[in-house]
Amino acid sequence: MKALTPTGRPAAAVGFAEVGFAEVDQPRPGPGEALVKVEAFSVNRGETFQLEAPKPGWRPGKDIAGLVVQAAADGSGPAVCRRVVGHPPAGGWAEYVCVPTDSLAELPDSLDSVRAAALPLAGLTALRLLRTAGALAGRRVLLTGASGGVGHYVTELASAAGAEVTAVTASAERGRRLTELGAAAVVHEIGAARGPYDLVLESTGGAGLPVALSRLARRGTLIWFGQASRTPATLDFFDFFKGPESATLRHFHYADSEAGHGAGRGVGYGADLATLVRLVGEGRLTPEIGRIAPWAETAAVLTDLRERRIRGKAVLTVSA
């Protein structure tokens, strides 16, 4: 079968390895896995970071949608010919991929594979991030990095839950879309956010994190869920006394089972994927897709994603 693999050659001027087509063996499902024929997959900026130094044998791809062609031998999960969205550990940029059945959710006829493929990583992160944040009604929320895939989902879900969201994005055009999704205010740099905020959802790191922290209310909470700047943050203990005294600073990773549906009952993503599918079907969640392209254009799409030329998600369609 065809799959996209790191070529070992650097992509021009962007600092990560190119990907290209290779012939690889079709995977064989292990216990509790289904074989899915991939119809579409989405790419994530974090995957370009992994491509900077790809591990031997690793093939990228964690967000897929397609058709089950071999059900799990243990009887778990969707049956053959069911359309699904999935979140495999890797290898999804291919014609076929094995996915643990507890990381699959069935799709209704109303949800096409392109929109479904935009859900897994960004949608799971947003859903679990807000679950970690707790009750949102009436809370003032500051969201950095708001114009990416996660940011669009967070803005829409948090606003619908009653939060007053201030979104940070450098682009006025992207800001208008965030306003449409429910943001109460949009600022184009973190320093323009007024505050104080009860909750800060911070994804940029670097110099932006201490500025975001300074906008936090006393005893507020900052949840740190990314470092898009690729730059470490420096914090000063005494700066907390200038406003966010006794604040809570919390690290977040979406794969932590405590953030998932049914905390402590395993790390599968299927139940939360089903929630995302339901929310889309009810018109309460909008997959924000800035680029749709055939998978032959994956290398160019990755470069544009890395250089922030794509708003929201980028989805590639798979053909034989």
Side-chain angles (χ1 to χ4, degrees), residues 34-37 39 65-71 77-85 104-109 113:
L35 181 65
V36 178
K37 186 178 189 300
E39 296 175 348
L67 189 72
V68 174
V69 294
Q70 184 176 337
V80 171
C81 293
R82 297 291 188 180
R83 297 176 56 249
V84 293
V85 58
L104 288 170
E106 293 193 32
L107 296 175
D109 292 340
S113 294

PDB file of all heavy atoms in Angstrom, residues 34-37 39 65-71 77-85 104-109 113:
ATOM      1  N   ALA A  34      -9.029  -2.474  14.696  1.00  0.00           N
ATOM      2  CA  ALA A  34      -9.726  -2.615  13.427  1.00  0.00           C
ATOM      3  C   ALA A  34      -8.852  -2.043  12.317  1.00  0.00           C
ATOM      4  O   ALA A  34      -8.050  -1.120  12.553  1.00  0.00           O
ATOM      5  CB  ALA A  34     -11.063  -1.889  13.463  1.00  0.00           C
ATOM      6  N   LEU A  35      -8.991  -2.582  11.125  1.00  0.00           N
ATOM      7  CA  LEU A  35      -8.282  -2.046   9.964  1.00  0.00           C
ATOM      8  C   LEU A  35      -9.214  -1.081   9.244  1.00  0.00           C
ATOM      9  O   LEU A  35     -10.341  -1.437   8.876  1.00  0.00           O
ATOM     10  CB  LEU A  35      -7.862  -3.175   9.025  1.00  0.00           C
ATOM     11  CG  LEU A  35      -7.072  -2.749   7.774  1.00  0.00           C
ATOM     12  CD1 LEU A  35      -5.716  -2.161   8.170  1.00  0.00           C
ATOM     13  CD2 LEU A  35      -6.897  -3.928   6.816  1.00  0.00           C
ATOM     14  N   VAL A  36      -8.729   0.149   9.043  1.00  0.00           N
ATOM     15  CA  VAL A  36      -9.539   1.208   8.441  1.00  0.00           C
ATOM     16  C   VAL A  36      -8.927   1.632   7.117  1.00  0.00           C
ATOM     17  O   VAL A  36      -7.714   1.889   7.035  1.00  0.00           O
ATOM     18  CB  VAL A  36      -9.644   2.426   9.384  1.00  0.00           C
ATOM     19  CG1 VAL A  36     -10.445   3.555   8.726  1.00  0.00           C
ATOM     20  CG2 VAL A  36     -10.286   2.022  10.703  1.00  0.00           C
ATOM     21  N   LYS A  37      -9.752   1.680   6.076  1.00  0.00           N
ATOM     22  CA  LYS A  37      -9.346   2.269   4.799  1.00  0.00           C
ATOM     23  C   LYS A  37      -9.509   3.776   4.923  1.00  0.00           C
ATOM     24  O   LYS A  37     -10.612   4.277   5.114  1.00  0.00           O
ATOM     25  CB  LYS A  37     -10.205   1.740   3.655  1.00  0.00           C
ATOM     26  CG  LYS A  37      -9.750   2.194   2.277  1.00  0.00           C
ATOM     27  CD  LYS A  37     -10.631   1.597   1.189  1.00  0.00           C
ATOM     28  CE  LYS A  37     -10.051   1.877  -0.196  1.00  0.00           C
ATOM     29  NZ  LYS A  37      -9.926   3.329  -0.496  1.00  0.00           N
ATOM     30  N   GLU A  39      -9.953   7.547   4.191  1.00  0.00           N
ATOM     31  CA  GLU A  39     -10.523   8.403   3.162  1.00  0.00           C
ATOM     32  C   GLU A  39     -10.009   9.831   3.270  1.00  0.00           C
ATOM     33  O   GLU A  39      -9.898  10.545   2.266  1.00  0.00           O
ATOM     34  CB  GLU A  39     -12.047   8.390   3.262  1.00  0.00           C
ATOM     35  CG  GLU A  39     -12.655   7.016   2.988  1.00  0.00           C
ATOM     36  CD  GLU A  39     -14.146   6.971   3.198  1.00  0.00           C
ATOM     37  OE1 GLU A  39     -14.708   7.943   3.776  1.00  0.00           O
ATOM     38  OE2 GLU A  39     -14.769   5.977   2.798  1.00  0.00           O
ATOM     39  N   ALA A  65     -10.235   9.545   9.062  1.00  0.00           N
ATOM     40  CA  ALA A  65     -11.628   9.132   8.900  1.00  0.00           C
ATOM     41  C   ALA A  65     -11.680   8.197   7.702  1.00  0.00           C
ATOM     42  O   ALA A  65     -10.934   8.376   6.734  1.00  0.00           O
ATOM     43  CB  ALA A  65     -12.543  10.326   8.691  1.00  0.00           C
ATOM     44  N   GLY A  66     -12.540   7.185   7.775  1.00  0.00           N
ATOM     45  CA  GLY A  66     -12.601   6.243   6.670  1.00  0.00           C
ATOM     46  C   GLY A  66     -13.581   5.126   6.932  1.00  0.00           C
ATOM     47  O   GLY A  66     -14.565   5.284   7.665  1.00  0.00           O
ATOM     48  N   LEU A  67     -13.287   3.954   6.345  1.00  0.00           N
ATOM     49  CA  LEU A  67     -14.205   2.825   6.337  1.00  0.00           C
ATOM     50  C   LEU A  67     -13.528   1.612   6.975  1.00  0.00           C
ATOM     51  O   LEU A  67     -12.392   1.272   6.621  1.00  0.00           O
ATOM     52  CB  LEU A  67     -14.591   2.508   4.894  1.00  0.00           C
ATOM     53  CG  LEU A  67     -15.701   1.489   4.660  1.00  0.00           C
ATOM     54  CD1 LEU A  67     -17.057   2.079   5.046  1.00  0.00           C
ATOM     55  CD2 LEU A  67     -15.708   1.053   3.198  1.00  0.00           C
ATOM     56  N   VAL A  68     -14.225   0.974   7.902  1.00  0.00           N
ATOM     57  CA  VAL A  68     -13.697  -0.256   8.496  1.00  0.00           C
ATOM     58  C   VAL A  68     -13.751  -1.365   7.457  1.00  0.00           C
ATOM     59  O   VAL A  68     -14.827  -1.684   6.920  1.00  0.00           O
ATOM     60  CB  VAL A  68     -14.502  -0.661   9.750  1.00  0.00           C
ATOM     61  CG1 VAL A  68     -14.028  -2.022  10.269  1.00  0.00           C
ATOM     62  CG2 VAL A  68     -14.359   0.395  10.837  1.00  0.00           C
ATOM     63  N   VAL A  69     -12.604  -1.977   7.153  1.00  0.00           N
ATOM     64  CA  VAL A  69     -12.553  -3.076   6.187  1.00  0.00           C
ATOM     65  C   VAL A  69     -12.228  -4.404   6.858  1.00  0.00           C
ATOM     66  O   VAL A  69     -12.376  -5.461   6.251  1.00  0.00           O
ATOM     67  CB  VAL A  69     -11.541  -2.786   5.057  1.00  0.00           C
ATOM     68  CG1 VAL A  69     -12.002  -1.606   4.220  1.00  0.00           C
ATOM     69  CG2 VAL A  69     -10.146  -2.535   5.612  1.00  0.00           C
ATOM     70  N   GLN A  70     -11.788  -4.354   8.109  1.00  0.00           N
ATOM     71  CA  GLN A  70     -11.586  -5.572   8.896  1.00  0.00           C
ATOM     72  C   GLN A  70     -11.880  -5.245  10.352  1.00  0.00           C
ATOM     73  O   GLN A  70     -11.190  -4.426  10.963  1.00  0.00           O
ATOM     74  CB  GLN A  70     -10.157  -6.103   8.742  1.00  0.00           C
ATOM     75  CG  GLN A  70      -9.923  -7.427   9.472  1.00  0.00           C
ATOM     76  CD  GLN A  70      -8.524  -7.989   9.228  1.00  0.00           C
ATOM     77  OE1 GLN A  70      -7.878  -7.666   8.237  1.00  0.00           O
ATOM     78  NE2 GLN A  70      -8.061  -8.823  10.131  1.00  0.00           N
ATOM     79  N   ALA A  71     -12.919  -5.848  10.877  1.00  0.00           N
ATOM     80  CA  ALA A  71     -13.302  -5.580  12.261  1.00  0.00           C
ATOM     81  C   ALA A  71     -12.336  -6.275  13.216  1.00  0.00           C
ATOM     82  O   ALA A  71     -11.610  -7.202  12.843  1.00  0.00           O
ATOM     83  CB  ALA A  71     -14.728  -6.052  12.507  1.00  0.00           C
ATOM     84  N   GLY A  77     -15.764  -2.892  18.981  1.00  0.00           N
ATOM     85  CA  GLY A  77     -15.719  -1.809  18.019  1.00  0.00           C
ATOM     86  C   GLY A  77     -16.632  -1.971  16.829  1.00  0.00           C
ATOM     87  O   GLY A  77     -17.437  -2.905  16.750  1.00  0.00           O
ATOM     88  N   PRO A  78     -16.507  -1.061  15.861  1.00  0.00           N
ATOM     89  CA  PRO A  78     -17.413  -1.039  14.708  1.00  0.00           C
ATOM     90  C   PRO A  78     -17.247  -2.253  13.797  1.00  0.00           C
ATOM     91  O   PRO A  78     -16.180  -2.849  13.700  1.00  0.00           O
ATOM     92  CB  PRO A  78     -17.008   0.252  13.974  1.00  0.00           C
ATOM     93  CG  PRO A  78     -16.262   1.060  14.976  1.00  0.00           C
ATOM     94  CD  PRO A  78     -15.586   0.081  15.871  1.00  0.00           C
ATOM     95  N   ALA A  79     -18.329  -2.580  13.111  1.00  0.00           N
ATOM     96  CA  ALA A  79     -18.329  -3.700  12.171  1.00  0.00           C
ATOM     97  C   ALA A  79     -17.768  -3.273  10.824  1.00  0.00           C
ATOM     98  O   ALA A  79     -17.579  -2.072  10.545  1.00  0.00           O
ATOM     99  CB  ALA A  79     -19.761  -4.222  12.005  1.00  0.00           C
ATOM    100  N   VAL A  80     -17.514  -4.251   9.956  1.00  0.00           N
ATOM    101  CA  VAL A  80     -17.056  -3.986   8.595  1.00  0.00           C
ATOM    102  C   VAL A  80     -18.069  -3.099   7.876  1.00  0.00           C
ATOM    103  O   VAL A  80     -19.283  -3.223   8.065  1.00  0.00           O
ATOM    104  CB  VAL A  80     -16.841  -5.312   7.843  1.00  0.00           C
ATOM    105  CG1 VAL A  80     -16.575  -5.066   6.357  1.00  0.00           C
ATOM    106  CG2 VAL A  80     -15.677  -6.081   8.448  1.00  0.00           C
ATOM    107  N   CYS A  81     -17.547  -2.196   7.069  1.00  0.00           N
ATOM    108  CA  CYS A  81     -18.333  -1.253   6.259  1.00  0.00           C
ATOM    109  C   CYS A  81     -18.909  -0.084   7.063  1.00  0.00           C
ATOM    110  O   CYS A  81     -19.645   0.744   6.508  1.00  0.00           O
ATOM    111  CB  CYS A  81     -19.451  -1.941   5.475  1.00  0.00           C
ATOM    112  SG  CYS A  81     -18.817  -3.053   4.199  1.00  0.00           S
ATOM    113  N   ARG A  82     -18.565   0.032   8.326  1.00  0.00           N
ATOM    114  CA  ARG A  82     -18.971   1.200   9.105  1.00  0.00           C
ATOM    115  C   ARG A  82     -17.994   2.344   8.845  1.00  0.00           C
ATOM    116  O   ARG A  82     -16.785   2.147   8.829  1.00  0.00           O
ATOM    117  CB  ARG A  82     -19.005   0.879  10.596  1.00  0.00           C
ATOM    118  CG  ARG A  82     -20.016  -0.176  10.989  1.00  0.00           C
ATOM    119  CD  ARG A  82     -21.430   0.341  10.827  1.00  0.00           C
ATOM    120  NE  ARG A  82     -22.393  -0.611  11.372  1.00  0.00           N
ATOM    121  CZ  ARG A  82     -23.707  -0.418  11.361  1.00  0.00           C
ATOM    122  NH1 ARG A  82     -24.200   0.687  10.831  1.00  0.00           N
ATOM    123  NH2 ARG A  82     -24.529  -1.323  11.868  1.00  0.00           N
ATOM    124  N   ARG A  83     -18.551   3.531   8.665  1.00  0.00           N
ATOM    125  CA  ARG A  83     -17.721   4.725   8.521  1.00  0.00           C
ATOM    126  C   ARG A  83     -17.328   5.212   9.909  1.00  0.00           C
ATOM    127  O   ARG A  83     -18.166   5.245  10.823  1.00  0.00           O
ATOM    128  CB  ARG A  83     -18.461   5.829   7.762  1.00  0.00           C
ATOM    129  CG  ARG A  83     -18.810   5.443   6.339  1.00  0.00           C
ATOM    130  CD  ARG A  83     -19.638   6.511   5.637  1.00  0.00           C
ATOM    131  NE  ARG A  83     -18.962   7.792   5.655  1.00  0.00           N
ATOM    132  CZ  ARG A  83     -19.356   8.852   6.359  1.00  0.00           C
ATOM    133  NH1 ARG A  83     -20.441   8.783   7.137  1.00  0.00           N
ATOM    134  NH2 ARG A  83     -18.687   9.979   6.313  1.00  0.00           N
ATOM    135  N   VAL A  84     -16.070   5.592  10.054  1.00  0.00           N
ATOM    136  CA  VAL A  84     -15.566   5.929  11.384  1.00  0.00           C
ATOM    137  C   VAL A  84     -14.623   7.123  11.337  1.00  0.00           C
ATOM    138  O   VAL A  84     -14.050   7.470  10.294  1.00  0.00           O
ATOM    139  CB  VAL A  84     -14.804   4.733  12.013  1.00  0.00           C
ATOM    140  CG1 VAL A  84     -15.746   3.582  12.312  1.00  0.00           C
ATOM    141  CG2 VAL A  84     -13.653   4.279  11.113  1.00  0.00           C
ATOM    142  N   VAL A  85     -14.448   7.735  12.491  1.00  0.00           N
ATOM    143  CA  VAL A  85     -13.361   8.681  12.741  1.00  0.00           C
ATOM    144  C   VAL A  85     -12.479   8.040  13.803  1.00  0.00           C
ATOM    145  O   VAL A  85     -12.976   7.352  14.712  1.00  0.00           O
ATOM    146  CB  VAL A  85     -13.889  10.055  13.213  1.00  0.00           C
ATOM    147  CG1 VAL A  85     -14.725   9.951  14.483  1.00  0.00           C
ATOM    148  CG2 VAL A  85     -12.738  11.042  13.410  1.00  0.00           C
ATOM    149  N   LEU A 104     -12.043   4.712  18.246  1.00  0.00           N
ATOM    150  CA  LEU A 104     -12.872   4.893  17.056  1.00  0.00           C
ATOM    151  C   LEU A 104     -14.270   5.320  17.462  1.00  0.00           C
ATOM    152  O   LEU A 104     -14.764   4.948  18.536  1.00  0.00           O
ATOM    153  CB  LEU A 104     -12.987   3.589  16.263  1.00  0.00           C
ATOM    154  CG  LEU A 104     -11.765   3.095  15.489  1.00  0.00           C
ATOM    155  CD1 LEU A 104     -12.018   1.676  14.990  1.00  0.00           C
ATOM    156  CD2 LEU A 104     -11.454   4.024  14.323  1.00  0.00           C
ATOM    157  N   ALA A 105     -14.913   6.092  16.597  1.00  0.00           N
ATOM    158  CA  ALA A 105     -16.332   6.425  16.771  1.00  0.00           C
ATOM    159  C   ALA A 105     -17.006   6.344  15.412  1.00  0.00           C
ATOM    160  O   ALA A 105     -16.437   6.768  14.396  1.00  0.00           O
ATOM    161  CB  ALA A 105     -16.506   7.820  17.372  1.00  0.00           C
ATOM    162  N   GLU A 106     -18.196   5.801  15.391  1.00  0.00           N
ATOM    163  CA  GLU A 106     -18.926   5.689  14.129  1.00  0.00           C
ATOM    164  C   GLU A 106     -19.468   7.051  13.693  1.00  0.00           C
ATOM    165  O   GLU A 106     -19.769   7.916  14.524  1.00  0.00           O
ATOM    166  CB  GLU A 106     -20.062   4.683  14.258  1.00  0.00           C
ATOM    167  CG  GLU A 106     -19.582   3.250  14.454  1.00  0.00           C
ATOM    168  CD  GLU A 106     -20.686   2.224  14.280  1.00  0.00           C
ATOM    169  OE1 GLU A 106     -21.614   2.475  13.467  1.00  0.00           O
ATOM    170  OE2 GLU A 106     -20.634   1.182  14.948  1.00  0.00           O
ATOM    171  N   LEU A 107     -19.593   7.202  12.372  1.00  0.00           N
ATOM    172  CA  LEU A 107     -20.056   8.462  11.799  1.00  0.00           C
ATOM    173  C   LEU A 107     -21.467   8.315  11.250  1.00  0.00           C
ATOM    174  O   LEU A 107     -21.789   7.306  10.610  1.00  0.00           O
ATOM    175  CB  LEU A 107     -19.132   8.899  10.663  1.00  0.00           C
ATOM    176  CG  LEU A 107     -17.692   9.236  11.032  1.00  0.00           C
ATOM    177  CD1 LEU A 107     -16.873   9.524   9.777  1.00  0.00           C
ATOM    178  CD2 LEU A 107     -17.647  10.416  11.979  1.00  0.00           C
ATOM    179  N   PRO A 108     -22.306   9.318  11.440  1.00  0.00           N
ATOM    180  CA  PRO A 108     -23.612   9.316  10.791  1.00  0.00           C
ATOM    181  C   PRO A 108     -23.458   9.686   9.320  1.00  0.00           C
ATOM    182  O   PRO A 108     -22.428  10.237   8.898  1.00  0.00           O
ATOM    183  CB  PRO A 108     -24.370  10.415  11.558  1.00  0.00           C
ATOM    184  CG  PRO A 108     -23.294  11.372  11.970  1.00  0.00           C
ATOM    185  CD  PRO A 108     -22.086  10.525  12.264  1.00  0.00           C
ATOM    186  N   ASP A 109     -24.475   9.403   8.526  1.00  0.00           N
ATOM    187  CA  ASP A 109     -24.420   9.733   7.099  1.00  0.00           C
ATOM    188  C   ASP A 109     -24.260  11.228   6.865  1.00  0.00           C
ATOM    189  O   ASP A 109     -23.738  11.649   5.831  1.00  0.00           O
ATOM    190  CB  ASP A 109     -25.694   9.243   6.405  1.00  0.00           C
ATOM    191  CG  ASP A 109     -25.783   7.721   6.362  1.00  0.00           C
ATOM    192  OD1 ASP A 109     -24.728   7.063   6.504  1.00  0.00           O
ATOM    193  OD2 ASP A 109     -26.906   7.198   6.188  1.00  0.00           O
ATOM    194  N   SER A 113     -16.303  12.511   5.572  1.00  0.00           N
ATOM    195  CA  SER A 113     -14.981  12.141   6.078  1.00  0.00           C
ATOM    196  C   SER A 113     -14.053  13.342   6.224  1.00  0.00           C
ATOM    197  O   SER A 113     -13.192  13.352   7.110  1.00  0.00           O
ATOM    198  CB  SER A 113     -14.350  11.095   5.153  1.00  0.00           C
ATOM    199  OG  SER A 113     -15.064   9.887   5.193  1.00  0.00           O
TER     200      SER A 113
END
